[in-house]
Amino acid sequence: MSDMAATRDGYGQALLEMAGDEKVVVLEADLGKSTKSVIFRKAHPERTISCGIGEQNMMLIGAGLASSGYKPFASTFAIFTERGFEQVRNGIARPNLAVHICGSHGGTHTGTDGGSAQSIEDLAIYRTLPNMTVMHPSDYLSAMSLTKQCLGLSGPSYMRTARNKTIKLYSDESEITIGKANILRHGDAVAIIACGVLVGESLEAAEALAAEGIEAMVLDMHTLKPLDNEAINRAVDTCGCLVTAEDHSVIGGLGGAVAEYVCANQPVPLEMVGVKDRFGESAQSDEMLEMMGLTSKHIAAAARRAIQRKENN
Amino acid sequence: MAEDCSISELEAKASRCRGEILRMTHRASAGHPGGSLSETDILVALYATKMRVDPANPKWPDRDRFILSKGHASPGMYAILEEQGFISKEDLKSYRVMGGTCQGHVDMKWTPGVDFSAGSLGMGLSYGIGCALAARFDGSERNAYVMLGDGEIQEGSVWEAAMAAAHHELGNLKVFVDCNRIQNDDFVENQMRMFDIAAKWESFGWAVREIDGHNMQEILDALDWFDGVGNKPAVIVANTVKGKGVSFMENNPAFHGAAPNDEQLGQGLAELGLIQ
Ligand SMILES: Cc1ncc(C[n+]2csc(CCOP(=O)(O)OP(=O)(O)O)c2C)c(N)n1
Ligand SMILES: [Mg+2]
């Protein structure tokens, strides 16, 4: 058994498993083989709609379908969903139509395709839209579970998946719920709140910290919106300082979301691990994480800084 | 600067470029050979006989511009830039390598001779309009050339640009559509039928010429035709073969975005007559 799998495969598999609901339709923009909606297309070509290389078109076709009682799941690369951003804003989010958008290949982890393909702002922009649920699962099973739960949403959603395989963190028994963070590790010195690819890195960082006698709590904040404020409150109460970790710009993403909440409620030292206001470039995934300062080593260093600041207070 | 080249010299240059495309994607174990191989003959003819550029001064303000809008087909671009002396053979080895001159998708900040950072389809034609308008403001004779893919022209933004170019009578805007009949997932026919591509451009007010995009003489004639179209923007609709020159890549959607393995590299180079 492999303990590695890609979240995009979890998305594709979920589509297939939802096919029993005849209202589920899948929209593609010439990247079905990459986003993995091809898994659904192979079994249900009649319910798979090719929109050509036309992301703006795809978003609004989804809106029309949703308004007519269908349950559209539209996918392309995270970066190319952004081509249709205003269509999503005015055609989907404003009328609150339940179109479910999946942006695959998000983040710098995407690798050698380079800066033009590495979306580092998708979570930030979709988070600004009223009615939108925004998710970024960390592993195969949680991606599958969260995708299926979209059927229970009354409004639109955006989910970022990743291109490359990541470690499996959950089992079939795990409870994964939209809007509820999962505590993957308990600790009281610092709470690391992470999403996506960096959840695995955060667990590694926690191991390294434990070797120094520092017990870190690790939260998988797979849903950025609605943010699990209660989980943040508990993390703040228990640990008194926070680290956020994401393969995304430090502006407006998970770090931004947590900072907005914590500053307005219970200010504590917060260190943000993320892409520091720059674009990516071509390199292998592990090289990118290193270049952008997103590895377990960087997360552990941020944790030590957060603890230091707490102690200085 | 433009050279005088015989057809056989151009064809030999094209074969060398194709060889480099295979080597680059093979080394990187990634990249887009199919659309690079289909555009190669046009790039070779254009750079060897028409482009007013200076490899020693790649930012020369009055140079012709070439915009590879289908920016994933970057190995084709890097190969011709190396042939023309903009970059070195060593640079070709940096394709998709950290810190390398040759990024995964063409990037004007990284590679001398690249005029537009692409990778997101449907952007280059509008950018070309900007370059063509600037040339007009400057009172310059320089041209803006744009290479589009036949899947790429499904993007609505391409047709916004097509309309604007004709409206503004940009005779210095010269476009190629690489009609290799394949896009990412599958054949164009299965993904989004384009019907009569030439007729579409014509109805948008463009001068249109259809050619065999692998026939060097037809390409040269069409490049000369570009120069005589007057104040209309002009497009060459080039019928091409995706993966041209390498039997197992030809007309094979699998090689849109997959690299050759060791054995395939050897076979490809042999078919191109580059090794025994
Ligand atoms: C806006 C946008 N959407 C999707 C993609 C992903 N993509 C990369 S290449 C490609 C297919 C391009 O087909 P075509 O234009 O025919 O290029 P060629 O056959 O010459 O390689 C797609 C869909 C992209 N790069 N940009
Ligand atoms: Mg094509």
Side-chain angles (χ1 to χ4, degrees):
Chain A
M1 194 201 90
S2 160
D3 54 359
M4 301 283 283
T7 49
R8 60 179 169 141
D9 284 302
Y11 171 77
Q13 188 59 32
L15 294 181
L16 184 64
E17 293 183 14
M18 291 189 296
D21 183 335
E22 286 174 4
K23 294 293 185 187
V24 168
V25 290
V26 165
L27 276 58
E28 297 185 334
D30 197 29
L31 281 170
K33 284 202 272 189
S34 306
T35 69
K36 297 298 176 183
S37 62
V38 65
I39 298 172
F40 182 95
R41 189 212 305 161
K42 278 196 180 135
H44 303 281
E46 74 296 342
R47 271 196 276 156
T48 308
I49 299 148
S50 167
C51 303
I53 309 175
E55 297 80 10
Q56 304 176 37
N57 192 32
M58 176 170 75
M59 296 304 178
L60 293 173
I61 291 175
L65 283 162
S67 76
S68 310
Y70 285 85
K71 300 170 183 176
F73 287 75
S75 68
T76 178
F77 285 3
I79 190 73
F80 306 131
T81 67
E82 296 175 23
R83 171 72 56 97
F85 181 71
E86 202 257 338
Q87 276 81 356
V88 175
R89 193 262 189 201
N90 273 327
I92 294 175
R94 209 165 74 86
N96 199 18
L97 293 166
V99 178
H100 304 295
I101 301 162
C102 175
S104 75
H105 294 58
T108 63
H109 200 246
T110 291
T112 67
D113 274 346
S116 71
Q118 299 164 353
S119 174
I120 47 170
E121 63 283 327
D122 54 334
L123 301 172
I125 63 174
Y126 291 112
R127 210 170 63 76
T128 63
L129 298 180
N131 297 327
M132 271 298 227
T133 296
V134 179
M135 294 164 283
H136 182 22
S138 59
D139 89 331
Y140 175 87
L141 273 181
S142 55
M144 193 150 98
S145 170
L146 292 169
T147 303
K148 290 187 194 168
Q149 289 173 47
C150 288
L151 286 179
L153 295 175
S154 57
S157 70
Y158 174 80
M159 175 187 289
R160 181 210 269 194
T161 59
R163 173 183 187 274
N164 301 309
K165 291 181 178 174
T166 45
I167 191 136
K168 283 189 184 170
L169 300 168
Y170 294 101
S171 70
D172 290 329
E173 285 73 51
S174 309
E175 241 182 73
I176 298 149
T177 310
I178 292 179
K180 288 268 161 274
N182 286 69
I183 300 179
L184 298 183
R185 193 179 191 286
H186 290 278
D188 57 11
V190 57
I192 305 171
I193 304 177
C195 61
V197 170
L198 292 204
V199 175
E201 294 288 331
S202 298
L203 286 168
E204 272 180 38
E207 290 306 316
L209 291 166
E212 301 166 19
I214 300 171
E215 291 301 330
M217 178 190 287
V218 177
L219 287 168
D220 177 0
M221 193 63 81
H222 47 70
T223 309
L224 283 84
K225 190 184 179 186
L227 196 62
D228 188 348
N229 296 335
E230 281 175 31
I232 296 175
N233 289 342
R234 283 195 301 273
V236 167
D237 291 341
T238 310
C239 303
C241 65
L242 305 174
V243 172
T244 55
E246 62 199 309
D247 183 7
H248 183 279
S249 173
V250 286
I251 301 174
L254 178 63
V258 171
E260 286 161 18
Y261 177 74
V262 172
C263 287
N265 294 279
Q266 233 182 321
V268 288
L270 166 66
E271 292 285 329
M272 293 186 202
V273 174
V275 178
K276 305 219 164 34
D277 200 20
R278 59 159 294 188
F279 289 111
E281 56 186 80
S282 288
Q284 301 295 333
S285 305
D286 51 342
E287 294 172 335
M288 284 311 303
L289 293 191
E290 183 68 39
M291 188 192 312
M292 297 290 152
L294 308 178
T295 69
S296 59
K297 187 182 70 192
H298 298 97
I299 296 167
R304 290 185 206 103
R305 286 197 303 274
I307 293 167
Q308 192 62 56
R309 285 173 56 196
K310 172 175 71 170
E311 287 169 356
N312 291 348
N313 272 350
Chain B
M1 279 292 168
E3 315 148 32
D4 264 335
C5 283
S6 69
I7 297 273
S8 63
E9 279 167 340
L10 292 173
E11 286 171 348
K13 204 177 180 69
S15 287
R16 290 195 299 274
C17 286
R18 290 194 161 94
E20 291 304 339
I21 290 165
L22 297 186
R23 290 193 183 97
M24 270 182 265
T25 50
H26 169 261
R27 260 190 307 260
S29 297
H32 298 87
S36 294
L37 293 166
S38 63
E39 74 195 2
T40 291
D41 295 310
I42 292 172
L43 290 188
V44 165
L46 178 68
Y47 271 86
T49 71
K50 281 286 173 205
M51 284 289 284
R52 283 175 62 250
V53 287
D54 179 4
N57 185 11
K59 291 280 174 206
W60 172 38
D62 204 32
R63 70 190 184 281
D64 283 342
R65 303 298 196 272
F66 176 74
I67 296 143
L68 183 68
S69 188
K70 38 171 259 183
H72 58 281
S74 54
M77 181 87 216
Y78 300 141
I80 189 66
L81 289 179
E82 191 274 323
E83 278 281 334
Q84 302 309 102
F86 284 90
I87 59 177
S88 69
K89 276 248 185 319
E90 220 32 53
D91 289 328
L92 296 184
K93 295 184 183 160
S94 76
Y95 173 58
R96 288 181 176 254
V97 172
M98 181 164 68
T101 301
C102 296
Q103 295 284 297
H105 292 76
V106 288
D107 197 311
M108 64 203 283
K109 293 286 182 206
W110 286 80
T111 317
V114 167
D115 288 323
F116 179 55
S117 299
S120 185
L121 297 168
M123 295 195 173
L125 189 56
S126 302
Y127 184 88
I129 292 177
C131 295
L133 283 169
R136 177 188 287 175
F137 288 141
D138 289 348
S140 165
E141 296 286 296
R142 67 178 183 265
N143 293 301
Y145 296 94
V146 181
M147 171 72 75
L148 301 170
D150 56 352
E152 177 180 21
I153 61 174
Q154 291 158 7
E155 285 287 359
S157 55
V158 171
W159 301 99
E160 297 177 20
M163 214 173 338
H167 176 77
H168 293 288
E169 301 182 353
L170 293 172
N172 55 351
L173 182 64
K174 296 166 178 174
V175 174
F176 308 93
V177 185
D178 182 0
C179 290
N180 58 27
R181 298 170 38 249
I182 295 175
Q183 46 193 97
N184 183 73
D185 277 358
D186 202 346
F187 285 88
V188 173
E189 187 68 16
N190 300 327
Q191 289 298 102
M192 183 58 63
R193 285 171 296 159
M194 298 303 295
F195 301 99
D196 190 336
I197 291 176
K200 280 189 166 64
W201 288 95
E202 225 164 271
S203 75
F204 273 73
W206 286 57
V208 185
R209 182 161 170 145
E210 231 177 308
I211 65 164
D212 171 350
H214 300 307
N215 180 317
M216 217 32 105
Q217 190 60 56
E218 279 192 41
I219 298 171
L220 294 176
D221 292 346
L223 291 176
D224 286 339
W225 166 81
F226 261 160
D227 294 333
V229 291
N231 62 0
K232 271 186 174 191
V235 58
I236 293 173
V237 176
N239 294 309
T240 57
V241 174
K242 198 151 178 168
K244 176 70 180 179
V246 180
S247 60
F248 55 89
M249 291 189 174
E250 288 193 357
N251 295 308
N252 182 357
F255 280 101
H256 165 77
N261 61 27
D262 295 350
E263 190 190 328
Q264 290 167 331
L265 173 69
Q267 187 187 335
L269 293 176
E271 286 181 12
L272 291 166
L274 298 170
I275 55 168
Q276 291 305 305

